[in-house]
Each structure stands twice: as C-alpha cells, then as structure tokens.
Amino acid sequence: MYSFLTTENWADYELVDSGNFEKLERFGQYYIARPEPQAIWDKHLPEQEWQRMANAVFTRDKGSQEKGQWKLKKGMPEQWFIDYKYNDLKLRFRLGLSSFKHVGLFPEQDSNWKFIYDTTRNLKAPQPKVLNMFAYTGAATLAAKAAGADVTHLDSIKQVNFWARDNMEASNLDNVRWIVEDAMKYARREVKRGNKYNGIILDPPSYGRGPNGEKWQLEDELNEMIKLCRELLDGTDYFLLINLYSMGFSALVLDNLMRGTFGDMVKHEELGELYLLDGGERKLPLGTFFRFTSVGRKI
C-alpha cells in the first residue's frame, strides 16, 4: 500500500505557509521562518505577513547550504518547550535554535510516532526490545518507551543524546539506554553478539560522521545496514520503520531493499511519503518511509 501521510491534530504545531524555498511554522506560541529546498512554489501569504508573524528568521551564511544565523524578535527565547499528545501518549519536547536551521524536532514524523506507539503496544513481548539508530533528539525513542518498550537510543553526537535525555525527563519517562556510537559499528557488533530486537527504527541522514570520524554516505552504506537489521530483528514478533529524507531518493528504492532483504517478514506493510500541509493547502514533501510489522495495528 502506497500512502501519503501528514501531521494531524497537533495543537502545538502548524505549517503556516511555504514557498520561495522557505517555510513558516508555529511551534507552540512562536513562529519560525527557515529555508526549505523543496518549497519551489510561491508563498501563499504576502511577505509582509511573514515578517509580521515570524519571531525568528534563519538566514544562511554566504557559501553555506546549511549553516547560518537566526534573527530574533524581542521576547523570542533560544529554547522553549512544546507538548505532543496522541490518545494516552503525552510527550514534551525542548526546542532550540541551532546554527544549522534545525530546532530539534521533525514534526512530519508524527504519523511514524503514532505507528511506533500503537505497534509496540500490540507486540506479544511483555517488554519489547526496541533499537532506535540515528535517533536524534529522541521523539521516536520516547514513543516506544511510553508504550512499554526497553529502548536503546543510539546517536553519534553526544550533545544530541543529552538533548534527548532532556526530552525524556520533560516527558516524565526514564530508563532509556543511551549510546554514543557509529551506527554501522554498533549494528555489526550486535549481530556478532547474537542480540535480537522486536523493533528497529532507522532515520539515517544522507551524509554524516561517527564519533571517531567514521563516514556515513547513504547510498554506499544503506544496503549493508538493512542486511544487518535483518539479522537483528526478531523473526516472530517485530516491527521495522525506516525513514529517508533525501531529495531524488525514490520510495521504490526502499521497497526494493526491504522486500529483497526481509522477504516473507514484510507484513502489514506501508510504503509512501510524509508531507506537511500548509495554510494554502500545498503539500510539502518531507521524506519517504517503509514500515512493516508482524502484528496488525489496532487503534
């Protein structure tokens, strides 16, 4: 099944507008304007409205595609919290204005957090083991933890793990296993140890570095990583979710990789794209995903 999934019913988040390679978002009470390479259409709102609404505007440094500076209006904090609720799942996230335009959260992942929460609760294991690699600030980690999982959270950047821990504490959760490590090295070691997980979550970047300078290049490493995940995933009680944000990387790539590697384990599967709907009813594409599970999703 090919699906187009978007963020829904989240009081603390809104994509207000997009266009001219920018997006205007509301996180809680604050409005953020920042670059968005896929928003090639015109803005829905006039430029004056963007200037009036935006509490913080990100401008790239000359010669850089990512790094830049934030211009803040009076009263705009550099860090603040927002809430997330889904059924009886209640999380709280600390946001911050980074020098790489990010704020510590990818709101288009809302539908994946819901999938993780619902599916983890429906697994047969009394405390499912879940591995979240390239885990960033931990929203997916906390969705699994709140559903009763024993979660291993792995990211190569120590400061990001500290940020995820702050989110865990703000969400009144505890006992997540934090690991600062290169994902490929860790997965290889876990395979050698014979460890198994009921759930595996992957959100790899196009390019990255491990804590000791290890190189990650998506097109070069992804095939091996998927094969390692096949060795790590429990064969009877499981789910796997992978998300990619890479322009030009077709969802069919994921379809070929997952079906070719996991075979008959691919059940109750969904393949598709994540997007955010702005105030002008335009769909901003923000990644492809593939997910499957041994259990039906009961909501």
Side-chain angles (χ1 to χ4, degrees), residues 84-246:
Y84 176 83
K85 297 179 182 179
Y86 167 64
N87 293 340
D88 56 351
L89 172 64
K90 297 180 180 179
L91 302 177
R92 189 165 173 81
F93 303 121
R94 176 174 67 82
L95 304 187
L97 303 175
S98 78
S99 61
F100 291 92
K101 83 177 180 179
H102 300 301
V103 297
L105 197 66
F106 295 101
E108 69 274 8
Q109 293 295 318
D110 162 64
S111 60
N112 280 334
W113 303 334
K114 293 172 180 175
F115 168 83
I116 292 165
Y117 183 68
D118 290 333
T119 304
T120 301
R121 294 182 73 186
N122 289 320
L123 292 173
K124 298 175 183 177
Q127 189 178 31
K129 289 182 62 180
V130 173
L131 173 62
N132 185 12
M133 292 189 283
F134 312 98
Y136 195 45
T137 58
T141 292
L142 301 183
K145 185 64 187 179
D150 174 14
V151 187
T152 298
H153 172 111
L154 186 149
D155 198 278
S156 64
I157 302 174
K158 184 182 296 185
Q159 293 85 349
V160 168
N161 277 7
F162 289 150
W163 195 336
R165 186 187 293 267
D166 287 346
N167 288 336
M168 178 191 70
E169 293 173 353
S171 300
N172 295 314
L173 297 169
D174 58 12
N175 293 327
V176 168
R177 184 177 300 105
W178 308 103
I179 296 179
V180 179
E181 176 63 285
D182 175 72
M184 190 71 82
K185 282 185 175 180
Y186 184 81
R188 288 170 182 155
R189 284 206 310 272
E190 286 291 89
V191 168
K192 289 181 180 179
R193 293 169 181 148
N195 286 335
K196 297 288 185 179
Y197 293 89
N198 302 104
I200 296 178
I201 304 163
L202 294 166
D203 192 3
S206 297
Y207 175 83
R209 290 284 185 180
N212 296 310
E214 301 92 344
K215 184 179 178 181
W216 168 271
Q217 192 77 39
L218 184 67
E219 60 269 28
D220 296 335
E221 314 294 341
L222 187 58
N223 191 18
E224 181 184 352
M225 175 59 79
I226 295 300
K227 291 176 181 176
L228 291 170
C229 289
R230 173 64 182 86
E231 297 297 316
L232 291 173
L233 195 62
D234 182 273
T236 58
D237 187 33
Y238 58 84
F239 76 85
L240 188 142
L241 162 65
I242 180 169
N243 182 80
L244 298 180
Y245 179 75
S246 178

Side-chain angles (χ1 to χ4, degrees), residues 7-8 62 72 86 97 146 149 174 208 220 231 265 292 294:
T7 297
E8 296 180 316
K62 290 183 178 180
L72 310 183
Y86 167 64
L97 303 175
D174 58 12
D220 296 335
E231 297 297 316
M265 288 184 71
F292 63 90
S294 61

